[in-house]
């Protein structure tokens, strides 16, 4: 199974996040999964790929040329795919992955999360999507989505499309389970109900 990990590239974060990424990479490789990542050598992206390779796992990095030019590409990846831009990068990562794991990260991680989450809610894919959040970084996001639901901006499918976890084993177990296909209603995708 190819599992895409979205995570931080910031080098300003606490060491515990790097340790978490290391644990994830090790566990994915131990279970025989291929890691698909953003292809960087820095921060959590670098930690998760190094750990996966160290544990004997296969790694696929996907990075736009502009970031390769900054010399942060993980040239040790088993496969490094260079794209024209960020949009193409996300498309390749999506196409190459069977499931998605979101670790703590910044706005780039959020963008990736929301694109996959939205696609899942709309029934555009049925790949498992899991957030691993041991320290509650995404707790305000979960409250925000709860509030959006209460105000009628989202439907129950938004909760069915994602699993929230706090430990690596729990997260990987969710990823390995087949995701339940979601069938959106017309009002969930912005279509007017028939008159």
């Amino acid at each position: 199974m190819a599992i895409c990990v979205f995570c931080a590239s910031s080098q300003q974060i606490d060491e515990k996040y790097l340790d978490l990424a290391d644990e994830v990479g090790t566990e994915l490789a131990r279970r025989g999964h291929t890691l698909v990542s953003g292809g960087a050598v820095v921060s959590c992206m670098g930690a998760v790929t190094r750990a996966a390779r160290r544990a004997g796992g296969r790694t696929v990095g996907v990075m736009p040329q502009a970031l390769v030019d900054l010399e942060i590409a993980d040239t040790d990846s088993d496969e490094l795919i260079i794209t024209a831009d960020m949009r193409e990068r996300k498309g390749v990562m999506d196409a190459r992955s069977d499931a998605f794991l979101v670790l703590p990260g910044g706005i780039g991680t959020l963008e990736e999360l929301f694109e996959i989450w939205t696609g899942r809610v709309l029934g555009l894919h049925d790949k498992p999507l899991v957030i691993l959040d041991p320290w509650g970084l995404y707790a305000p996001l979960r409250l925000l989505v709860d509030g959006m639901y209460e105000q009628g901006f989202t439907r129950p499918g938004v909760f069915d499309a994602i699993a929230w976890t706090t430990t690596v084993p729990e997260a990987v177990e969710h990823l390995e389970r087949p995701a339940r296909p979601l069938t959106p209603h017309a009002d969930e995708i912005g279509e007017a109900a028939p008159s």
Side-chain angles (χ1 to χ4, degrees):
M1 174 176 216
I3 296 178
C4 182
V5 175
F6 298 134
C7 59
S9 61
S10 170
Q11 299 186 68
Q12 311 299 316
I13 59 175
D14 190 290
E15 189 76 23
K16 67 185 181 184
Y17 296 111
L18 301 176
D19 293 341
L20 178 67
D22 186 282
E23 184 181 352
V24 165
T26 301
E27 185 66 7
L28 292 180
R30 187 184 73 76
R31 292 181 183 227
H33 300 304
T34 294
L35 170 69
V36 178
S37 77
V41 294
V42 296
S43 190
C44 291
M45 274 199 239
V48 71
T49 56
R50 285 189 298 273
R53 281 196 298 272
R54 193 171 55 243
R58 176 173 164 71
T59 61
V60 177
V62 186
M63 178 172 278
Q65 184 63 56
L67 296 182
V68 173
D69 293 344
L70 294 176
E71 300 182 351
I72 61 168
D74 181 7
T75 56
D76 291 331
S77 287
D78 294 300
E79 186 177 357
L80 180 62
I81 301 167
I82 300 173
T83 63
D85 54 33
M86 295 291 278
R87 288 178 187 267
E88 184 186 0
R89 176 200 213 182
K90 288 188 295 181
V92 170
M93 292 171 80
D94 184 355
R96 295 293 299 265
S97 301
D98 301 308
F100 301 90
L101 177 59
V102 182
L103 304 185
I107 60 171
T109 304
L110 285 176
E111 180 198 17
E112 293 162 333
L113 163 62
F114 279 120
E115 185 162 327
I116 297 301
W117 195 356
T118 301
R120 182 95 171 82
V121 170
L122 294 177
L124 301 177
H125 71 85
D126 60 1
K127 300 174 183 181
L129 172 60
V130 176
I131 289 180
L132 174 56
D133 189 22
W135 301 287
L137 179 72
Y138 293 125
L141 172 62
R142 195 168 185 179
L143 286 174
L144 174 65
V145 175
D146 285 344
M148 293 167 84
Y149 173 73
E150 290 168 8
Q151 296 294 317
F153 288 102
T154 62
R155 299 292 180 260
V158 76
F159 303 110
D160 297 334
I162 195 166
W164 301 77
T165 64
T166 57
T167 70
V168 172
E170 179 189 17
V172 177
E173 285 165 17
H174 274 283
L175 292 167
E176 291 174 336
R177 290 183 203 143
R180 183 173 61 88
L182 301 177
T183 306
H185 300 287
D187 62 344
E188 291 179 308
I189 56 175
E191 296 176 3
S195 54

